[in-house]
Amino acid sequence: MSIERLFVANRGEIAVRIIRTCRELGVATVVGVSEVDRDSLAAELADRAVVLGPAHASASYLSVPTVVQAAIGTGCDAIHPGYGFLAENPLLAQAAADNDLRFVGPPAAVIGRAGDKLAAREVAVAAGLPVVPGRDVQSLADAQDFAGGAGYPVLVKAAAGGGGRGIKLARDADELSAVFGVAQAEAGAAFGDDRLYVERFIRAARHVEVQVAADDHGAVVHLGERDCSTQRRYQKVIEEAPAPALAPGVRDALCDAGVAFARAIDYRNVGTVEFVVDVESGSFFFLEMNCRIQVEHPVTEAVCGLDLVALQLAIANGQPLGFAQHDVAIDGHAVECRLVAEDPARGFAPSPGRIERFHVPELPGLRVDTHCRPGTVISPYYDSLVAKLIAHAPDRDAALATMSRALEQLEATGVQTNQSLLAELVGHERFLAADLTTKWLEETLA
Amino acid sequence: MSDLIEFVDTSMRDGNQSLWSGTGLTTPDVLAIAPTVDRVGYHALDFTASTHLAISVRYHREDPWQRIRMAAAAMPRTMLTFLTTGTRFISWKPAADDLLELAFRTAVRNGLRRFQIMHPSNDAAVLVHLARMAKRVGAEEVVLALVYSVSPVHDDAYYSDRIAVLAACADADRLYLKDPGGLLVPDRATTLVAAMCAAAGDRPVEVHSHCTTSLAPLVYVEAVRAGARTLHTAVRPLGSGTSQPSAEMTLRNVVEAGFRHDLDEDALAETSAYFADLAHEKGLPTGAMPEYDHTYYRHQLPGGMASTMRRQLEEMRRGDLFDSALDEVVRVRAEVGYPVMVTPVSQFVATQAVMNVLHEQRWATVPDEMVRFLLGQFGAPPAPPDPDVVDRVLSGPRAEELRHVEPLSLEGARERLGRRLSDEELLLRLTMPEEQVDAMLAAPQPEPGATPVARPGRSPVVRLLRELDKRPAITYLRLRTDDDLVEWRRSEAADAAG
């Protein structure tokens, strides 16, 4: 039986996005909202909205038992987790399965494996994917031995750590011996475990990711790749598809690697395999897999002519993909800008508040995904995404021209946004020339 | 006249200030409950004042403007109020108009929609001037205060003169009777509120009192009977004591008196439970109704100050002087022109009184703050000070040194402090010690999504388990209520580890 009533366990634009597709498909929706999101657009568009709890996500959007209970209590037969919050928490996928609810995403075991960095890396190596050279080291001599083989510069980090804490850069053997002891002491102090991990540092990198889709019947395809190199503090700002300026052969190799990884980890539903591309050598390395719909999925939808949320629901229903790899054609170029309520003039401080005027231009090839309208309050409790602008055109230049016009004509007042920064970036000579690395935005802002 | 009574919730500003010295709440504490507060349906929140901005920087190292922005976005239905006092902003030095206007404008831009404007000496010209300024920068609602006090100069004529000027101010949307000392008695409230209502015409009149003498709950009932339609209350854990009457009891009282309200009592109860939990988690006191102390009407020293004075005298082995020091407070207050006995002036008067009883000669030693007060740097007192005292204090060399105080202004400020500073940072740098602002800016700012100290709506069982966890001496608990049975045993491993 296919999904009849879907519980949307998310908020903001992605909740609206999911509900819109459900309306087209005739699937009823229930959205779980926090106390502050009672009057949100998602709550209004869904067939029903239930309050999960207080504003703090830990007591509402992040509470697995609450979400599952709300889904059962409102007679839903499936849960869509969107992105962020519980999307990649295997406990939700498992709790859904335990309660006979379909989970619109991969099974808990796959999420668990993909989320364990070391396990995912092992899967990648076994599947023949290149990974950034690196390993646990026992001593300084061991680290120098590794760096001698893999080449400098190297990053030294806590083996038990995460989130970028205490990562140190060593450009040569002298620097490595200088930072090693400090890194060891810091790792011990921060994580109670002084084991270190050393990996090759890629000076100029691009973030390129492959969209994959896999059904329950063994079919795995890719839907092309996206470049998400324009980032600030690991937050993506602009994304595009296809990735510009990739060396010949790299695109196909990347996409094949994405499919190979998805197959190796027994992936189901739509997902994204992330890679880092070394600009200097052109070689690429597996980074991680995201077991969810991505924020930037619309650029892929634009160039592939697919509705990825509809595809997610079909896969969750147990239907076959219904198309093969050779049916996937990439049409033109798409670029997405994330409009956020942050004030670039004040160090990108969040600028929550009530949106006064909000007008998105109507331009051919422009799509705007948003949960905002005049009077919407950008809440201080969650991310500050106001809208995603997606421009699609026959080629990159035309797509960027549409985006420039859109950013010029867009009106969003009442909160500070990064609108003018986006306009500046889209017209920046480095961006126009596709001379991108994951550091280019921060270098430009500095 | 409508029988609907509106409420201004003071929990986060005056409740916090009266019971928790203003230091009780951090930004995450406010954000944890803000959406629920927003549902209660208050006319407005008494949210912040320049003292609170300073405490946020100095004590919590939190960006006070960020707190305002976050809170305003978290409570979009409820106006947040900025309480401003005379021509001061954070610093005790007077602020020039340009600085004050920038402070007002910045307050509005960050989300403070309502201004309560007061002057300790009820200087009507200053109030009217500031009301204009607040309107000019975009304040949605301006409320002018009539500050209540008890002294020979605070008579009917004094109040009626000032009420007339305030009511004539076109920029005042409302008037409020502000009783910082909690001195109002029901009869006085009746006559003053009636006079204010008559003068204010269609504009609502609000009442803001304190439970210092325990009379405020009754004063509120008489005030609504006399025509007041908005009362300032705090949620129960942050009410009573030297704070405002509790919203919970005030609601019952006004309904009993034949009026109605449209607050969401469920949301109010949830808010109250949250602040009770927070007080418990942080070890902060909750308000209890004080005993009626008739001597308070004589010296008017806020409760904490009288006991501090006794303790200080005892530490100097001069506890025997306490009664004469209290008498001296009365005398000094008269000599300096019957100022309203609120912070900081009450401290100046009390300190001077102690000096006067400790030394052979009265007014032999005068702290700088009192010199500055007599120089008029805290505004003119309600009555002219005693000329003999003024002569004595202001003829000294110290007075000469302190006499010339340049008001804080924006002139040259940007050149001095940096052209690219935001207005928010500029205002703090102009009015606070540099190292405090630096330390605040260097400190990591709280994440709005961070787990709060107390969580609204936490289930009683979870709370019970948490409390048990804190008490290693308890190893076993069995609790039966009706059909429910909770059995809890501390594991041996935890025992060994503990």
Side-chain angles (χ1 to χ4, degrees):
Chain A
M1 234 182 54
S2 55
I3 296 168
E4 288 179 1
R5 187 180 292 169
L6 178 73
F7 191 84
V8 181
N10 215 299
R11 64 176 303 281
E13 68 85 18
I14 192 63
V16 172
R17 162 78 190 83
I18 295 164
I19 293 164
R20 285 198 199 281
T21 285
C22 287
R23 287 178 134 196
E24 280 172 28
L25 297 175
V27 174
T29 48
V30 178
V31 65
V33 294
S34 75
E35 190 176 8
V36 285
D37 285 335
R38 288 162 179 253
D39 302 326
S40 62
L41 184 56
E44 191 179 305
L45 291 178
D47 295 295
R48 195 172 160 191
V50 287
V51 175
L52 296 173
H56 278 84
S58 57
S60 49
Y61 295 111
L62 285 173
S63 167
V64 173
T66 310
V67 166
V68 172
Q69 195 59 51
I72 297 169
T74 51
C76 291
D77 46 17
I79 296 180
H80 195 308
Y83 54 69
F85 296 125
L86 294 173
E88 289 176 283
N89 185 332
L91 295 178
L92 177 64
Q94 191 56 53
D98 292 347
N99 289 282
D100 293 328
L101 294 163
R102 284 172 214 248
F103 181 72
V104 184
V110 173
I111 300 177
R113 260 201 311 281
D116 176 339
K117 285 201 172 187
L118 283 179
R121 192 178 152 98
E122 279 166 22
V123 171
V125 171
L129 270 70
V131 294
V132 177
R135 62 172 164 87
D136 281 348
V137 291
Q138 310 301 327
S139 62
L140 174 60
D142 195 10
Q144 282 170 334
D145 180 53
F146 163 80
Y152 286 95
V154 293
L155 289 179
V156 184
K157 47 188 169 185
R165 264 172 91 189
I167 296 182
K168 306 216 175 304
L169 174 67
R171 276 164 294 202
D172 52 38
D174 286 348
E175 281 194 4
L176 182 56
S177 57
V179 301
F180 195 85
V182 183
Q184 210 162 24
E186 282 185 9
F191 304 107
D193 178 349
D194 68 357
R195 283 177 308 133
L196 294 179
Y197 186 87
V198 178
E199 71 176 22
R200 200 175 103 196
F201 173 63
I202 298 163
R203 248 182 294 239
R206 279 197 194 172
H207 177 113
V208 181
E209 59 188 28
V210 176
Q211 178 72 59
V212 297
D215 66 18
D216 288 343
H217 310 281
V220 184
V221 298
H222 70 78
L223 303 172
E225 79 292 341
R226 298 182 285 257
D227 183 295
C228 314
S229 300
T230 305
Q231 308 181 345
R232 188 186 155 271
R233 297 200 178 161
Y234 305 107
Q235 292 295 312
K236 297 166 183 170
V237 177
I238 304 177
E239 305 98 342
E240 54 186 315
L246 277 188
V250 172
R251 190 183 317 279
D252 290 344
L254 267 172
C255 291
D256 290 346
V259 169
F261 184 82
R263 212 179 272 291
I265 204 163
D266 198 17
Y267 197 78
R268 304 297 159 87
N269 216 288
V270 310
T272 298
V273 186
E274 295 189 336
F275 295 91
V276 54
V277 177
D278 185 340
V279 174
E280 286 162 13
S281 69
S283 46
F284 64 84
F285 307 98
F286 168 80
L287 213 54
E288 63 178 2
M289 178 156 199
N290 297 144
C291 303
R292 54 175 152 88
I293 188 102
Q294 301 273 107
V295 178
E296 59 272 23
H297 75 276
V299 291
T300 297
E301 293 186 323
V303 296
C304 292
L306 286 168
D307 178 335
L308 291 188
V309 172
L311 188 59
Q312 283 192 297
L313 295 175
I315 296 170
N317 274 332
Q319 294 162 13
L321 283 181
F323 60 88
Q325 188 64 61
H326 61 80
D327 297 319
V328 177
I330 303 297
D331 167 33
H333 196 97
V335 59
E336 174 184 281
C337 284
R338 297 189 190 186
L339 182 75
V340 293
E342 288 176 7
D343 188 353
R346 267 204 307 239
F348 294 87
S351 173
R354 194 183 287 282
I355 294 181
E356 285 160 12
R357 279 210 302 275
F358 189 67
H359 171 74
V360 292
E362 284 180 30
L363 298 172
L366 180 72
R367 161 179 166 184
V368 178
D369 281 16
T370 184
H371 59 297
C372 293
R373 50 193 168 173
T376 298
V377 174
I378 299 294
S379 160
Y381 299 96
Y382 315 109
D383 72 59
S384 58
L385 188 63
V386 173
K388 304 186 309 201
L389 282 70
I390 305 103
H392 180 217
D395 58 45
R396 187 171 190 263
D397 289 347
L400 292 182
T402 301
M403 183 60 82
S404 286
R405 276 219 307 285
L407 287 167
E408 204 174 288
Q409 294 174 21
L410 174 81
E411 255 193 303
T413 65
V415 294
Q416 298 293 323
T417 72
N418 63 340
Q419 182 179 355
S420 53
L421 174 71
L422 289 171
E424 204 179 303
L425 293 178
V426 167
H428 196 282
E429 55 180 11
R430 278 191 70 178
F431 194 84
L432 292 172
D435 174 16
L436 309 175
T437 69
T438 50
K439 293 273 173 280
W440 93 271
L441 175 55
E442 286 173 12
E443 288 161 8
T444 305
L445 290 170
Chain B
M1 196 181 234
S2 160
D3 59 353
L4 179 71
I5 306 302
E6 293 187 309
F7 290 82
V8 171
D9 177 67
T10 64
S11 309
M12 294 181 188
R13 206 279 305 168
D14 211 349
N16 177 18
Q17 188 159 325
S18 298
L19 301 186
W20 297 346
S21 317
T23 59
L25 298 176
T26 63
T27 301
D29 295 338
V30 170
L31 290 179
I33 195 63
T36 313
V37 174
D38 200 33
R39 274 201 287 129
V40 177
Y42 296 117
H43 175 73
L45 292 194
D46 176 6
F47 188 71
T48 197
S50 73
T51 309
H52 276 242
L53 304 185
I55 288 172
S56 174
V57 173
R58 185 164 52 232
Y59 190 85
H60 299 300
R61 293 191 177 176
E62 286 181 352
D63 181 346
W65 302 110
Q66 166 120 331
R67 179 187 297 188
I68 295 167
R69 284 194 297 275
M70 298 279 175
M75 295 183 273
R77 296 183 194 84
T78 314
M79 283 190 282
L80 302 191
T81 306
F82 180 56
L83 169 66
T84 186
T85 305
T87 52
R88 289 179 52 226
F89 180 72
I90 298 185
S91 168
W92 67 266
K93 285 188 193 172
D97 266 4
D98 58 353
L99 187 146
L100 221 44
E101 184 154 341
L102 182 68
F104 281 20
R105 178 169 287 121
T106 308
V108 170
R109 191 175 58 227
N110 281 276
L112 297 171
R113 293 156 58 193
R114 184 176 121 118
F115 279 52
Q116 286 171 208
I117 304 174
M118 66 90 107
H119 190 285
S121 303
N122 288 314
D123 187 328
V126 172
L127 290 170
V128 168
H129 174 68
L130 295 179
R132 182 86 281 261
M133 187 184 281
K135 278 287 176 187
R136 191 161 60 232
V137 300
E140 265 174 57
E141 187 167 280
V142 171
V143 193
L144 293 185
L146 179 71
V147 178
Y148 181 70
S149 190
V150 175
S151 83
V153 289
H154 289 88
D155 55 14
D156 286 348
Y158 172 93
Y159 287 118
S160 60
D161 286 355
R162 279 153 185 85
I163 289 170
V165 182
L166 298 187
C169 173
D171 295 307
D173 300 300
R174 292 168 165 238
L175 303 185
Y176 83 118
L177 179 56
K178 182 179 173 70
D179 175 25
L183 294 161
L184 269 173
V185 294
D187 289 355
R188 200 76 176 107
T190 301
T191 55
L192 277 177
V193 169
M196 288 173 81
C197 289
D202 299 341
R203 291 171 293 180
V205 169
E206 306 183 353
V207 178
H208 175 108
S209 188
H210 288 251
C211 296
T212 322
T213 58
S214 73
L215 297 180
L218 179 55
V219 162
Y220 277 16
V221 173
E222 294 308 321
V224 295
R225 285 193 175 131
R229 285 295 172 267
T230 304
L231 299 173
H232 290 210
T233 57
V235 290
R236 185 163 272 144
L238 277 162
S240 302
T242 50
S243 177
Q244 277 70 54
S246 77
E248 288 92 331
M249 200 58 190
T250 307
L251 291 187
R252 290 181 54 181
N253 290 346
V254 297
V255 169
E256 182 62 25
F259 297 87
R260 63 191 175 88
H261 68 85
D262 57 5
L263 296 194
D264 178 337
E265 291 187 69
D266 291 340
L268 173 63
E270 219 176 296
T271 311
S272 230
Y274 167 75
F275 281 108
D277 264 8
L278 187 78
H280 179 73
E281 292 289 338
K282 293 188 158 189
L284 294 166
T286 53
M289 198 46 101
E291 287 183 281
Y292 176 79
D293 174 2
H294 198 55
T295 60
Y296 177 70
Y297 282 90
R298 185 160 53 94
H299 59 73
Q300 296 181 25
L301 271 193
M305 278 192 58
S307 52
T308 306
M309 189 188 216
R310 184 193 290 274
R311 197 191 67 233
Q312 284 170 343
L313 285 168
E314 280 166 357
E315 280 167 8
M316 289 183 269
R317 298 177 190 282
R318 297 308 306 272
D320 56 304
L321 290 178
F322 179 68
D323 283 336
S324 43
L326 276 189
D327 290 340
E328 185 64 18
V329 165
V330 180
R331 208 168 153 194
V332 170
R333 182 178 179 232
E335 285 168 328
V336 300
Y338 296 108
V340 181
M341 290 292 275
V342 290
T343 308
V345 175
S346 50
Q347 277 96 331
F348 304 166
V349 172
T351 308
Q352 191 62 54
V354 170
M355 300 275 180
N356 287 359
V357 295
L358 282 174
H359 291 85
E360 274 183 31
Q361 223 183 351
R362 301 180 68 248
W363 295 99
T365 304
V366 184
D368 281 357
E369 284 72 20
M370 182 52 92
V371 178
R372 286 178 175 137
F373 180 82
L374 289 170
L375 282 165
Q377 290 173 5
F378 292 88
D386 183 322
D388 291 341
V389 169
V390 173
D391 274 357
R392 178 171 187 131
V393 174
L394 299 190
S395 59
R398 188 65 187 141
E400 212 40 51
E401 289 170 37
L402 294 173
R403 187 178 297 273
H404 300 289
V405 172
E406 285 293 313
L408 293 169
S409 90
L410 296 180
E411 211 177 302
R414 287 210 170 270
E415 289 73 9
R416 213 165 59 245
L417 296 166
R419 287 188 186 280
R420 293 185 61 185
L421 284 188
S422 64
D423 291 341
E424 286 80 358
E425 188 179 339
L426 181 75
L427 285 165
L428 298 181
R429 290 206 176 278
L430 272 170
T431 54
M432 295 195 69
E434 186 183 352
E435 66 277 7
Q436 292 179 5
V437 181
D438 287 343
M440 182 273 283
L441 290 172
Q445 291 302 304
E447 289 286 328
T451 306
V453 172
R455 299 187 208 182
R458 174 181 277 169
S459 83
V461 174
V462 173
R463 202 179 305 167
L464 172 69
L465 293 175
R466 223 174 114 87
E467 290 300 320
L468 284 171
D469 194 45
K470 289 185 197 161
R471 293 165 172 76
I474 304 175
T475 55
Y476 177 79
L477 174 125
R478 189 183 157 93
L479 173 72
R480 184 189 285 280
T481 48
D482 301 330
D483 290 340
D484 295 328
L485 174 71
V486 174
E487 198 165 355
W488 175 90
R489 197 187 306 274
R490 190 177 292 278
S491 78
E492 284 174 21
D495 267 359

